[in-house]
Amino acid sequence: MIVDSQVHIWAANTPERPWAPGTRPHRPVPLGHEELLREMNAAGVDRCVIVPPSLDEFRNDLALAAVKAHPDRFAVMGKIDAADPTARERLARWRSTPGMLGLRFNFKRSPGPLKSGDADWVWGVAEEAGVPIYVGVAHPDVHVFDAIAERHPRLKIVFDHMALASGVKDEAAFKDLDKLLVAARRPNIAVKVSALPCYTDASYPYRNLHSHVRRVYDAFGPQRMMWGSDLSRLRGTYRECVMVFTEEMKWLSSRDLEWIMGRSLCEWLAWPRA
Protein backbone atom coordinates (compact mmCIF):
# COMPACT_ATOMS: atom_id res chain seq x y z
CA MET A 1 0.00 0.00 0.00
CA ILE A 2 1.35 3.42 -1.01
CA VAL A 3 0.14 6.29 1.18
CA ASP A 4 0.99 9.93 0.55
CA SER A 5 1.68 11.78 3.81
CA GLN A 6 0.80 15.25 2.47
CA VAL A 7 -1.22 16.88 -0.28
CA HIS A 8 -3.05 20.21 -0.14
CA ILE A 9 -6.41 20.79 -1.80
CA TRP A 10 -8.19 24.13 -2.08
CA ALA A 11 -10.98 26.04 -3.79
CA ALA A 12 -11.06 29.33 -5.69
CA ASN A 13 -10.76 32.64 -3.85
CA THR A 14 -14.30 34.02 -3.58
CA PRO A 15 -16.10 36.54 -1.35
CA GLU A 16 -18.03 33.64 0.19
CA ARG A 17 -14.86 31.64 0.84
CA PRO A 18 -11.87 34.00 0.78
CA TRP A 19 -8.27 32.95 1.11
CA ALA A 20 -6.41 34.06 4.22
CA PRO A 21 -4.76 37.47 3.82
CA GLY A 22 -1.18 37.38 2.54
CA THR A 23 -1.36 33.80 1.22
CA ARG A 24 -1.11 32.45 -2.30
CA PRO A 25 -1.60 29.00 -3.83
CA HIS A 26 1.10 26.70 -5.16
CA ARG A 27 -0.45 26.91 -8.63
CA PRO A 28 -3.01 29.16 -10.36
CA VAL A 29 -5.73 26.51 -10.74
CA PRO A 30 -7.21 25.05 -7.52
CA LEU A 31 -6.68 21.38 -6.79
CA GLY A 32 -9.84 19.55 -5.72
CA HIS A 33 -10.19 16.08 -4.27
CA GLU A 34 -11.61 14.52 -7.44
CA GLU A 35 -8.61 15.68 -9.49
CA LEU A 36 -6.33 14.49 -6.70
CA LEU A 37 -8.00 11.08 -6.81
CA ARG A 38 -7.34 10.82 -10.56
CA GLU A 39 -3.71 11.78 -10.00
CA MET A 40 -3.39 9.15 -7.26
CA ASN A 41 -4.88 6.44 -9.46
CA ALA A 42 -2.50 7.29 -12.31
CA ALA A 43 0.54 7.27 -10.02
CA GLY A 44 -0.40 4.11 -8.13
CA VAL A 45 -1.04 5.88 -4.81
CA ASP A 46 -3.64 4.12 -2.66
CA ARG A 47 -4.30 6.68 0.06
CA CYS A 48 -3.52 10.28 0.87
CA VAL A 49 -3.44 12.49 3.95
CA ILE A 50 -4.91 15.88 3.08
CA VAL A 51 -3.43 18.88 4.87
CA PRO A 52 -5.54 22.05 4.58
CA PRO A 53 -3.28 24.78 3.14
CA SER A 54 -2.43 28.17 4.62
CA LEU A 55 -4.96 29.67 2.18
CA ASP A 56 -7.72 28.17 4.32
CA GLU A 57 -6.20 29.29 7.63
CA PHE A 58 -8.12 27.15 10.18
CA ARG A 59 -10.81 25.71 7.88
CA ASN A 60 -10.87 21.95 7.44
CA ASP A 61 -14.13 21.64 5.52
CA LEU A 62 -12.79 20.81 2.05
CA ALA A 63 -10.55 18.07 3.41
CA LEU A 64 -13.37 16.57 5.45
CA ALA A 65 -15.65 16.68 2.41
CA ALA A 66 -13.05 14.63 0.54
CA VAL A 67 -13.07 12.06 3.34
CA LYS A 68 -16.86 11.90 3.24
CA ALA A 69 -16.80 11.30 -0.52
CA HIS A 70 -13.96 8.75 -0.43
CA PRO A 71 -13.41 7.48 3.13
CA ASP A 72 -11.25 4.60 1.90
CA ARG A 73 -8.80 6.95 0.15
CA PHE A 74 -8.49 10.13 2.22
CA ALA A 75 -7.83 11.26 5.80
CA VAL A 76 -6.96 14.63 7.31
CA MET A 77 -4.33 16.27 9.46
CA GLY A 78 -6.32 19.36 10.33
CA LYS A 79 -5.77 22.88 11.57
CA ILE A 80 -6.80 24.49 14.84
CA ASP A 81 -6.47 28.03 16.16
CA ALA A 82 -4.56 27.68 19.41
CA ALA A 83 -5.87 31.10 20.51
CA ASP A 84 -9.54 30.10 20.11
CA PRO A 85 -11.19 29.81 23.57
CA THR A 86 -12.94 26.61 22.44
CA ALA A 87 -9.77 24.98 21.10
CA ARG A 88 -8.93 22.93 24.23
CA GLU A 89 -12.36 21.33 24.31
CA ARG A 90 -12.31 20.69 20.56
CA LEU A 91 -8.83 19.15 20.63
CA ALA A 92 -9.81 16.77 23.43
CA ARG A 93 -12.34 15.16 21.06
CA TRP A 94 -10.47 15.88 17.81
CA ARG A 95 -10.36 12.33 16.53
CA SER A 96 -14.10 11.81 17.00
CA THR A 97 -14.60 13.49 13.60
CA PRO A 98 -14.51 10.79 10.89
CA GLY A 99 -11.24 10.88 8.99
CA MET A 100 -9.56 13.42 11.27
CA LEU A 101 -6.27 11.83 12.33
CA GLY A 102 -4.40 14.71 13.94
CA LEU A 103 -3.12 18.27 13.72
CA ARG A 104 -0.72 20.15 11.50
CA PHE A 105 1.11 23.35 12.41
CA ASN A 106 3.33 25.17 9.91
CA PHE A 107 5.61 27.27 12.07
CA LYS A 108 7.85 28.12 9.10
CA ARG A 109 5.06 30.26 7.71
CA SER A 110 3.48 31.37 11.00
CA PRO A 111 6.05 31.16 13.82
CA GLY A 112 4.14 33.42 16.19
CA PRO A 113 2.37 30.82 18.38
CA LEU A 114 5.60 28.82 18.74
CA LYS A 115 7.75 31.83 19.65
CA SER A 116 5.19 33.42 21.97
CA GLY A 117 4.26 30.24 23.80
CA ASP A 118 0.60 30.55 22.79
CA ALA A 119 0.68 26.97 21.51
CA ASP A 120 2.33 25.50 24.61
CA TRP A 121 -0.94 24.13 25.97
CA VAL A 122 -1.51 22.10 22.79
CA TRP A 123 1.20 19.50 23.42
CA GLY A 124 -0.18 18.21 26.71
CA VAL A 125 -3.80 18.15 25.55
CA ALA A 126 -2.83 16.40 22.31
CA GLU A 127 -0.78 13.87 24.26
CA GLU A 128 -3.72 13.03 26.51
CA ALA A 129 -6.15 12.85 23.59
CA GLY A 130 -3.86 10.69 21.46
CA VAL A 131 -3.67 13.29 18.70
CA PRO A 132 -0.47 13.11 16.58
CA ILE A 133 0.97 16.34 15.19
CA TYR A 134 2.69 17.29 11.94
CA VAL A 135 5.05 20.23 12.46
CA GLY A 136 6.60 22.46 9.83
CA VAL A 137 9.86 23.90 11.14
CA ALA A 138 13.35 24.35 9.71
CA HIS A 139 16.48 22.74 11.14
CA PRO A 140 17.33 25.59 13.58
CA ASP A 141 14.01 25.04 15.40
CA VAL A 142 14.11 21.24 15.60
CA HIS A 143 15.53 21.49 19.12
CA VAL A 144 12.28 23.12 20.31
CA PHE A 145 10.35 19.97 19.42
CA ASP A 146 13.09 17.72 20.69
CA ALA A 147 12.42 19.28 24.10
CA ILE A 148 8.64 19.03 23.67
CA ALA A 149 8.99 15.35 22.77
CA GLU A 150 11.05 14.79 25.92
CA ARG A 151 8.43 16.47 28.13
CA HIS A 152 5.54 14.66 26.43
CA PRO A 153 6.78 11.14 25.63
CA ARG A 154 3.35 9.89 24.47
CA LEU A 155 2.89 12.77 22.01
CA LYS A 156 3.65 11.68 18.44
CA ILE A 157 5.46 14.38 16.47
CA VAL A 158 6.20 14.20 12.73
CA PHE A 159 8.55 16.69 11.07
CA ASP A 160 7.41 17.85 7.63
CA HIS A 161 9.78 17.49 4.67
CA MET A 162 12.83 16.47 6.74
CA ALA A 163 12.58 19.92 8.41
CA LEU A 164 14.06 21.55 5.30
CA ALA A 165 13.85 25.33 5.01
CA SER A 166 11.48 26.72 2.40
CA GLY A 167 13.04 28.06 -0.78
CA VAL A 168 16.49 26.50 -0.23
CA LYS A 169 17.85 23.77 -2.49
CA ASP A 170 20.59 21.19 -2.92
CA GLU A 171 23.54 21.24 -0.51
CA ALA A 172 22.44 24.50 1.10
CA ALA A 173 19.13 22.88 2.07
CA PHE A 174 20.82 19.96 3.82
CA LYS A 175 23.81 21.68 5.45
CA ASP A 176 22.22 21.52 8.94
CA LEU A 177 20.63 18.08 8.61
CA ASP A 178 22.52 16.95 11.72
CA LYS A 179 20.15 19.12 13.77
CA LEU A 180 17.29 16.91 12.61
CA LEU A 181 19.15 13.65 13.09
CA VAL A 182 19.76 14.43 16.78
CA ALA A 183 15.99 14.27 17.32
CA ALA A 184 16.00 10.58 16.33
CA ARG A 185 16.87 9.83 19.98
CA ARG A 186 13.22 10.56 20.84
CA PRO A 187 11.12 7.49 19.98
CA ASN A 188 8.04 9.68 19.64
CA ILE A 189 9.51 11.72 16.74
CA ALA A 190 9.20 10.68 13.10
CA VAL A 191 10.06 12.31 9.77
CA LYS A 192 8.22 12.85 6.51
CA VAL A 193 10.60 12.23 3.61
CA SER A 194 8.23 14.29 1.51
CA ALA A 195 8.34 16.89 -1.28
CA LEU A 196 12.03 16.09 -1.84
CA PRO A 197 12.12 17.05 -5.55
CA CYS A 198 11.20 20.58 -4.43
CA TYR A 199 14.56 20.88 -2.65
CA THR A 200 16.84 20.31 -5.64
CA ASP A 201 17.46 21.68 -9.12
CA ALA A 202 18.53 18.21 -10.27
CA SER A 203 16.27 16.14 -12.48
CA TYR A 204 14.83 12.68 -11.82
CA PRO A 205 16.05 10.44 -10.21
CA TYR A 206 17.45 13.24 -8.00
CA ARG A 207 20.58 11.29 -7.14
CA ASN A 208 22.05 14.12 -5.09
CA LEU A 209 19.25 13.60 -2.54
CA HIS A 210 19.74 9.88 -1.98
CA SER A 211 22.61 10.22 0.49
CA HIS A 212 20.57 12.62 2.64
CA VAL A 213 17.67 10.17 2.72
CA ARG A 214 20.15 7.46 3.70
CA ARG A 215 21.33 9.53 6.67
CA VAL A 216 17.74 9.94 7.84
CA TYR A 217 17.20 6.20 7.36
CA ASP A 218 20.29 5.38 9.43
CA ALA A 219 19.13 7.67 12.25
CA PHE A 220 15.37 7.09 12.36
CA GLY A 221 14.90 3.74 10.63
CA PRO A 222 12.13 2.94 8.14
CA GLN A 223 9.42 2.65 10.80
CA ARG A 224 9.72 6.39 11.49
CA MET A 225 9.99 7.57 7.87
CA MET A 226 6.94 8.57 5.83
CA TRP A 227 6.97 9.17 2.08
CA GLY A 228 4.93 12.04 0.63
CA SER A 229 4.67 14.31 -2.39
CA ASP A 230 3.19 17.73 -1.53
CA LEU A 231 1.76 17.28 -5.01
CA SER A 232 0.57 20.81 -5.76
CA ARG A 233 4.13 22.18 -5.76
CA LEU A 234 5.91 19.04 -6.93
CA ARG A 235 8.73 19.17 -9.49
CA GLY A 236 8.55 16.27 -11.93
CA THR A 237 5.68 13.82 -12.05
CA TYR A 238 3.74 12.20 -9.25
CA ARG A 239 4.81 8.78 -10.48
CA GLU A 240 8.49 9.83 -10.42
CA CYS A 241 8.08 10.97 -6.82
CA VAL A 242 6.97 7.42 -6.01
CA MET A 243 9.61 5.72 -8.13
CA VAL A 244 12.57 7.64 -6.73
CA PHE A 245 12.04 5.50 -3.62
CA THR A 246 10.60 2.29 -5.05
CA GLU A 247 12.90 2.01 -8.09
CA GLU A 248 15.97 4.21 -7.61
CA MET A 249 17.06 3.80 -3.99
CA LYS A 250 18.36 0.27 -4.45
CA TRP A 251 19.61 0.05 -0.87
CA LEU A 252 16.03 0.04 0.44
CA SER A 253 14.72 -3.49 0.93
CA SER A 254 11.16 -4.50 0.11
CA ARG A 255 10.48 -4.50 3.86
CA ASP A 256 11.90 -0.97 4.17
CA LEU A 257 9.67 0.20 1.33
CA GLU A 258 6.61 -1.35 2.93
CA TRP A 259 7.20 0.88 5.97
CA ILE A 260 8.37 4.07 4.25
CA MET A 261 5.76 4.10 1.49
CA GLY A 262 2.75 3.66 3.75
CA ARG A 263 2.83 1.36 6.74
CA SER A 264 4.72 3.68 9.08
CA LEU A 265 2.32 6.55 8.36
CA CYS A 266 -0.78 4.42 8.87
CA GLU A 267 0.51 2.97 12.13
CA TRP A 268 1.86 6.27 13.47
CA LEU A 269 -1.43 8.07 12.79
CA ALA A 270 -3.59 5.04 13.75
CA TRP A 271 -5.19 4.93 10.31
CA PRO A 272 -6.30 1.30 9.91
CA ARG A 273 -4.99 -0.23 6.70
CA ALA A 274 -7.86 -2.69 6.22
Side-chain angles (χ1 to χ4, degrees):
M1 179 180 286
I2 296 178
V3 187
D4 194 332
S5 62
Q6 177 170 320
V7 174
H8 301 299
I9 62 172
W10 68 96
N13 187 17
T14 66
E16 296 75 26
R17 200 174 189 286
W19 295 342
T23 62
R24 61 179 183 177
H26 286 154
R27 67 179 206 184
V29 179
L31 176 62
H33 74 261
E34 294 295 349
E35 180 185 350
L36 171 56
L37 193 62
R38 292 193 293 271
E39 293 274 8
M40 290 165 61
N41 290 340
V45 175
D46 299 289
R47 286 178 165 188
C48 179
V49 173
I50 297 174
V51 175
S54 298
L55 300 170
D56 279 343
E57 202 165 20
F58 302 113
R59 293 192 301 251
N60 300 307
D61 56 320
L62 291 182
L64 291 172
V67 171
K68 185 174 181 179
H70 302 281
D72 58 328
R73 306 296 297 276
F74 297 126
V76 184
M77 292 293 278
K79 302 284 192 67
I80 198 169
D81 181 1
D84 186 329
T86 69
R88 288 176 183 264
E89 179 184 349
R90 290 169 57 214
L91 182 53
R93 49 185 171 81
W94 194 250
R95 285 185 61 110
S96 65
T97 300
M100 187 67 84
L101 300 181
L103 289 176
R104 196 261 185 148
F105 290 95
N106 186 355
F107 294 115
K108 285 188 283 189
R109 177 179 285 275
S110 302
L114 184 62
K115 304 297 185 182
S116 67
D118 288 349
D120 287 355
W121 67 267
V122 170
W123 323 129
V125 175
E127 181 182 33
E128 289 302 314
V131 175
I133 297 179
Y134 281 177
V135 291
V137 295
H139 293 148
D141 286 325
V142 165
H143 73 280
V144 176
F145 283 92
D146 180 81
I148 290 169
E150 182 180 23
R151 292 196 302 271
H152 301 282
R154 292 181 290 109
L155 174 65
K156 292 184 175 180
I157 296 169
V158 183
F159 284 115
D160 292 345
H161 317 322
M162 291 168 54
L164 297 169
S166 301
V168 186
K169 295 183 178 182
D170 298 315
E171 292 310 305
F174 295 89
K175 64 182 180 66
D176 290 327
L177 187 62
D178 284 342
K179 293 180 179 180
L180 171 67
L181 303 184
V182 168
R185 62 187 173 178
R186 309 295 178 200
N188 54 326
I189 289 181
V191 177
K192 289 156 62 179
V193 284
S194 50
L196 292 188
C198 302
Y199 296 95
T200 180
D201 286 323
S203 57
Y204 180 84
Y206 318 113
R207 296 201 184 281
N208 62 323
L209 301 182
H210 295 200
S211 62
H212 302 303
V213 175
R214 182 58 189 258
R215 292 182 66 200
V216 172
Y217 173 92
D218 289 342
F220 285 88
Q223 296 181 19
R224 290 191 288 154
M225 294 172 66
M226 302 159 184
W227 171 82
S229 71
D230 210 6
L231 179 63
S232 56
R233 68 183 179 110
L234 187 64
R235 292 181 63 250
T237 70
Y238 201 3
R239 183 61 186 159
E240 286 173 345
C241 191
V242 173
M243 291 172 60
V244 69
F245 281 84
T246 61
E247 303 294 333
E248 300 295 339
M249 296 187 190
K250 306 295 187 183
W251 46 272
L252 290 172
S253 70
S254 59
R255 184 68 167 167
D256 292 336
L257 289 170
E258 177 189 355
W259 284 104
I260 294 169
M261 301 305 294
R263 183 175 177 181
S264 63
L265 180 72
C266 290
E267 293 198 2
W268 199 265
L269 303 184
W271 188 7
R273 292 189 298 153

